[in-house]
Amino acid sequence: MDRVYVMELVHAFQTGVMGRRDFLRRATVAIGSASAATMLLAACAQGPTARQSVIDESAAERAFDDEDDVGPVGGVTAGTVSYGEGGETLSGYLARPEGAGPLPAVVVLQEWWGLDEHIRDVTRRFAGHGFVALAPDLYHGQVVTEPNEARKLVMELDMEAAVGEIRQAIGFLLVQEYVAGEKVGIVGFCMGGRLALRAAHVEERLGAVAAFYGSPLAPEEAGEAKAPILGLYGSEDGGIPVERVRAMEEALADAGIERQIHVYGGAGHAFFNDTRGSYDVNAATDAWNRTLSWFRTHLR
């Protein structure tokens, strides 16, 4: 058994980076025993950090049997909501601490796979840390698992229209009585990271941005960003050269825009997605903690 790897799994679980189900799956493989992995999970849940940050995903799965119903999920209320302007009906996955509020809000933007269970899990994680979180369904019900299918959906997606839908999600959050403040945060992954940066270029109601391996803004666009930007990238991301990341960082600095740009050595694209082989527990844990701190600082 690789004890170092198992301890990394424990740390990822207790800090909210990894969910219960994925922890059990990975720990079972690492230890070689499902019962031992279950015992380790129980021990983890006794720690103070785990009690504060980990959501009961078995309860979550029961609540998702009918996604149109919003029900309590281990201290977090989560489910599908509808909203829209001008007769347009949009939907998204909303999660918030049960019975709490008003609280700062965050828009969570999907990867190119769609609004899948991983993004729903991330949305619940934010709620578990004291945020109202909304993941708009930018593919309008479509979720895929194969890269070729995802690539097709991305190519068909009207990015400007998607930014418009994101702005409607922001508007929806800001009129809710359980949301605090006049601005929200936005976080996106892969395609969602690109869209988060695009939204920052046009949306005044953003208080903070966190972009996980999103295609960087061009220097001339970066100087017009409307909110502080946290950029999280991997040095081995074959689709996003580090030079482009640094060019955006320099443009943000020249324009006097608050920013933190982190490039994780050895990490590739999608290093945060704990359902994929690209997952890097060290980079993911650090990036998650930085994101929480970023939003807590800027969404008071």
Side-chain angles (χ1 to χ4, degrees):
M1 180 181 70
D2 187 339
R3 294 181 179 274
V4 173
Y5 175 66
V6 171
M7 292 310 297
E8 288 177 344
L9 293 179
V10 169
H11 180 68
F13 174 70
Q14 291 187 322
T15 56
V17 171
M18 180 180 295
R20 174 191 181 96
R21 180 173 53 192
D22 196 48
F23 174 84
L24 280 173
R25 178 175 60 83
R26 291 170 182 259
T28 297
V29 173
I31 299 173
S33 166
S35 60
T38 301
M39 291 176 62
L40 179 61
L41 175 66
C44 291
Q46 294 173 5
T49 303
R51 287 200 300 268
Q52 294 169 3
S53 65
V54 176
I55 298 169
D56 183 352
E57 291 191 6
S58 63
E61 290 174 0
R62 292 194 297 272
F64 300 150
D65 289 341
D66 182 355
E67 292 180 352
D68 290 330
D69 292 334
V70 179
V73 181
V76 169
T77 296
T80 300
V81 294
S82 297
Y83 52 92
E85 301 172 359
E88 183 179 19
T89 300
L90 303 172
S91 68
Y93 184 77
L94 179 75
R96 62 188 180 93
E98 187 179 8
L103 296 167
V106 175
V107 175
V108 182
L109 300 181
Q110 66 197 50
E111 295 177 300
W112 68 348
W113 311 110
L115 182 50
D116 60 8
E117 178 53 27
H118 169 64
I119 294 300
R120 293 171 187 265
D121 178 54
V122 172
T123 304
R124 296 193 299 272
R125 291 185 212 174
F126 275 109
H129 283 276
F131 295 91
V132 176
L134 173 63
D137 185 358
L138 301 177
Y139 284 170
H140 303 165
Q142 296 187 81
V143 176
V144 298
T145 58
E146 296 299 326
N148 287 340
E149 297 173 329
R151 189 173 295 106
K152 182 175 182 291
L153 287 176
V154 170
M155 293 177 64
E156 293 174 349
L157 184 66
D158 183 329
M159 290 293 175
E160 293 308 312
V163 171
E165 293 186 13
I166 292 165
R167 300 181 81 174
Q168 291 193 59
I170 292 170
F172 168 79
L173 285 172
L174 287 175
V175 299
Q176 304 306 312
E177 63 181 10
Y178 47 78
V179 170
E182 299 179 352
K183 294 189 176 184
V184 305
I186 191 167
V187 57
F189 305 86
C190 183
M191 180 191 81
R194 173 185 176 187
L195 286 168
L197 292 171
R198 295 301 306 169
H201 185 241
V202 298
E203 178 55 67
E204 299 278 358
R205 296 171 296 176
L206 288 178
V209 178
F212 282 71
Y213 29 87
S215 182
L217 291 171
E220 60 272 19
E221 296 174 319
E224 299 177 359
K226 306 293 192 293
I229 291 176
L230 172 66
L232 303 158
Y233 295 89
S235 67
E236 305 308 308
D237 189 329
I240 302 178
V242 173
E243 292 77 12
R244 288 183 59 201
V245 176
R246 295 307 183 194
M248 179 179 73
E249 180 180 24
E250 183 176 348
L252 292 170
D254 289 343
I257 297 169
E258 187 174 355
R259 73 278 165 206
Q260 287 186 19
I261 307 297
H262 299 275
V263 178
Y264 293 97
H269 192 74
F271 63 77
F272 186 78
N273 190 331
D274 58 8
T275 69
R276 299 277 168 178
S278 55
Y279 179 61
D280 184 315
V281 64
N282 293 322
T285 301
D286 184 78
W288 175 247
N289 290 331
R290 288 181 186 274
T291 300
L292 292 175
S293 177
W294 190 249
F295 286 145
R296 286 169 179 157
T297 298
H298 293 287
L299 301 179
R300 295 175 180 174

